[in-house]
Amino acid sequence: MALQTLNPHPHHACASPGPVPLPGRHQPQPLLHFPPRRRLAGCARLRVVAVAVSVSGAVNEARRRPPPEGGEGKETDLATLGNLCVDVVLSVPQLPPAPREERKAYMERLAASPPDQKFWEAGGNCNLAFAAARLGLCCSTLGHVGEEIYGKFLLDLLEAEGISVVGMLDNSDASACQHAYETLLCWVLVDPFQRHGFCSRADFSEEPAFSWIHKLPAETKTAIHHSKILFCNGYAFDEFFPDVIASAIDCAIDAGTAVFFDPGPRGKSLLHGSLDEQRALEHSLRLSDVLLLTSDEAESLTNIRNPIQAGQELLKRGIRTKWVVIKMGSKGSIMVTKNAVSCAPSFKIDVVDTVGCGDSFTAAIVFGFLHNLPAVSTLTLANAVGAATATGCGAGRNVAHLDKVLQLLRESNLNDDDTTWSELIEGSSLCSEVSVLSKTTVNGFSDHLVHVPVCSVVSNLISMFEVVSERSPVQA
């Protein structure tokens, strides 16, 4: 992920006071990943785990678990591919310099003295897995985590949330540079003006961070076969070769596992990247069951400004695409399907921090897909989960808990602005039905527009989740 600067938010209160160095740097080794000892109620635990041989050749037998023999059904609701990292959130006098070499030196100085653990947080796809688990879904993460202090920290957090980890160490050369086996860190830097900068070692290499992974390991394939959904985003290209990502998608399709793909900010650079990157991006866009993009990302991939039209174009290009979900930020969200367009305005909240909101939103889309919820209901839930995360401070363990989601649903305080949706609808090609979540049922607004009352949608969602909340202690 390249260095980015975000606009400051006046209500941001997440800045940390500064690093406290830890003595001595632990020598990293490949980690032996393991499934957690506890899980969400009603969820079968994934029994697949990669067993890695350390650089010294020793094997931690206590963490070894054999892969399942034969087909045992799809026990896992959601598996995420790659993007397992630790965010180190620090307050700094100023953001890193722009020149590449100066930024690299800046990051190396930070890494030389690891800050106190109170500044660490799970990042990347951990955010999605946490949010999904708190909705009652059974989750697994597929990726690489090192055996140094950061990797152990990350595994402890995932285990505490009931999330399984399947490692991706294969028979790679164990004598390779140990640095390559370390857990990926993302330095989240906050200046006095509450502007954010992000950087990691993946920013400074022409090759993926885990370039020693040349093919999809057998344990990863087995885990995909046992999952109902495989999620991948554009940041996976920072870690794996394009062929590895494409093979994961092919594996999912062969196994009857649905594919969710979010190109994210990397989508635009991949579109103009190497031939392998362009092919893998096209492969991901055309063969995914569900695409998730912001309106800007949809425009960059289609050259179509209207998000509904851009979604329809992506749907038309797809071979397997069923849903195209467009995130509209503070306005809400849109879902485009073959025969309909659905829109849901956002919830009115006091925003504290938007980090992790997109991941939380995606978790709810996964829930809606798995439970065959109507499109408007799925978007309503996704907006509520994303908004619940935005009311907290940061991502990782701070993503939305179900009680906060239910509170926002009960309040149903929508940014109800028919003008926004009518302008988008008028600017797009006609479809058989356009549904918009609304505080009230409005008759005669448009021949093509159906207003769906929020009270009925919320009532159904709350009744569903109150059952989940009662049976799962992880939600609280």
Side-chain angles (χ1 to χ4, degrees):
M1 55 191 75
L3 178 70
Q4 303 174 50
T5 301
L6 303 181
N7 291 328
H9 193 282
H11 299 290
H12 195 287
C14 298
S16 302
V20 178
L22 292 179
R25 184 163 177 80
H26 183 84
Q27 186 64 37
Q29 295 180 353
L31 183 67
L32 311 174
H33 305 311
F34 59 96
R37 290 185 292 274
R38 67 184 179 88
R39 63 183 186 272
L40 295 180
C43 290
R45 186 202 311 171
L46 184 66
R47 292 192 286 273
V48 184
V49 59
V51 179
V53 180
S54 70
V55 173
S56 64
V59 177
N60 185 339
E61 295 292 341
R63 293 186 180 182
R64 184 191 296 271
R65 298 288 188 278
E69 297 181 2
E72 297 182 13
K74 294 189 179 297
E75 304 164 338
T76 303
D77 294 314
L78 170 67
T80 65
L81 180 65
N83 199 211
L84 301 179
C85 65
V86 173
D87 287 345
V88 182
V89 185
L90 300 175
S91 290
V92 294
Q94 59 186 26
L95 294 180
R100 177 187 174 93
E101 291 306 315
E102 291 182 34
R103 280 194 293 121
K104 184 178 180 181
Y106 183 101
M107 189 189 71
E108 288 174 346
R109 288 195 298 272
L110 289 174
S113 300
D116 191 276
Q117 188 167 315
K118 66 183 178 181
F119 301 107
W120 305 358
E121 190 51 77
N125 276 339
C126 297
N127 299 328
L128 169 57
F130 284 3
R134 292 173 183 181
L135 293 177
L137 299 182
C138 198
C139 302
S140 176
T141 57
L142 320 178
H144 175 68
V145 180
E147 201 180 29
E148 77 298 298
I149 51 177
Y150 294 111
K152 291 178 179 178
F153 167 80
L154 193 59
L155 281 184
D156 286 344
L157 295 190
L158 289 165
E159 182 179 13
E161 295 283 339
I163 298 164
S164 297
V165 182
V166 178
M168 292 184 69
L169 276 179
D170 54 14
N171 295 322
S172 301
D173 182 7
S175 65
C177 176
Q178 292 186 22
H179 178 74
Y181 290 112
E182 292 181 357
T183 304
L184 193 62
L185 299 185
C186 178
W187 299 89
V188 183
L189 308 172
V190 187
D191 74 2
F193 299 99
Q194 304 302 318
R195 293 176 300 189
H196 291 156
F198 302 89
C199 59
S200 75
R201 62 180 165 87
D203 302 340
F204 307 103
S205 174
E206 297 301 323
E207 288 192 326
F210 305 135
S211 56
W212 38 267
I213 300 178
H214 295 284
K215 63 180 181 179
L216 205 63
E219 293 86 356
T220 306
K221 293 180 180 179
T222 305
I224 292 173
H225 275 256
H226 283 258
S227 303
K228 297 172 186 175
I229 291 175
L230 173 69
F231 173 83
C232 178
N233 62 20
Y235 289 123
F237 288 83
D238 291 336
E239 299 181 9
F240 309 121
F241 285 113
D243 285 350
V244 174
I245 297 170
S247 65
I249 291 174
D250 290 340
C251 176
I253 293 171
D254 291 342
T257 297
V259 178
F260 279 45
F261 180 62
D262 184 341
R266 288 283 278 118
K268 186 174 182 179
S269 61
L270 293 171
L271 188 64
H272 303 287
S274 68
L275 186 58
D276 285 344
E277 288 177 333
Q278 292 179 37
R279 287 173 175 169
L281 175 64
E282 184 71 10
H283 194 74
S284 304
L285 291 172
R286 296 188 69 197
L287 296 181
S288 294
D289 296 84
V290 176
L291 295 176
L292 302 109
L293 317 89
T294 66
S295 55
D296 289 341
E297 291 161 2
E299 181 181 356
S300 70
L301 293 176
T302 62
N303 290 319
I304 299 174
R305 186 174 183 81
N306 184 291
I308 294 178
Q309 284 187 312
Q312 290 170 332
E313 175 62 23
L314 289 167
L315 194 69
K316 184 169 62 176
R317 294 180 187 177
I319 296 174
R320 296 162 38 87
T321 314
K322 301 173 181 64
W323 292 0
V324 177
V325 179
I326 309 293
K327 295 171 280 188
M328 300 289 293
S330 61
K331 295 178 182 178
S333 54
I334 299 169
M335 183 187 296
V336 181
T337 63
K338 183 178 179 181
N339 298 315
V341 172
S342 302
C343 309
S346 62
F347 290 88
K348 291 180 180 179
I349 58 168
D350 292 325
V351 176
V352 175
D353 192 352
T354 59
V355 176
C357 293
D359 302 310
S360 302
F361 177 94
T362 298
I365 298 295
V366 168
F367 185 95
F369 186 89
L370 290 174
H371 290 83
N372 295 312
L373 295 183
V376 169
S377 298
T378 299
L379 293 177
T380 303
L381 176 62
N383 289 349
V385 178
T389 292
T391 62
C393 188
R397 289 164 290 180
N398 301 310
V399 299
H401 284 275
L402 186 54
D403 55 354
K404 182 62 178 179
V405 175
L406 294 176
Q407 177 188 336
L408 290 178
L409 288 172
R410 290 189 185 100
E411 293 172 353
S412 297
N413 191 9
L414 298 179
N415 283 311
D416 213 1
D417 181 11
D418 282 330
T419 304
T420 298
W421 307 113
S422 61
E423 289 176 351
L424 291 175
I425 293 164
E426 290 171 2
S428 65
S429 58
L430 298 178
C431 55
S432 58
E433 180 180 292
V434 179
S435 300
V436 178
L437 185 72
S438 179
K439 292 179 182 177
T440 58
T441 301
V442 180
N443 296 319
F445 178 76
S446 170
D447 293 337
H448 306 287
L449 193 61
V450 176
H451 279 78
V452 180
V454 66
C455 57
S456 61
V457 172
V458 164
S459 176
N460 291 333
L461 288 174
I462 289 177
S463 62
M464 175 184 297
F465 277 103
E466 282 177 341
V467 174
V468 175
S469 184
E470 290 172 0
R471 75 165 187 252
S472 177
V474 180
Q475 312 299 327

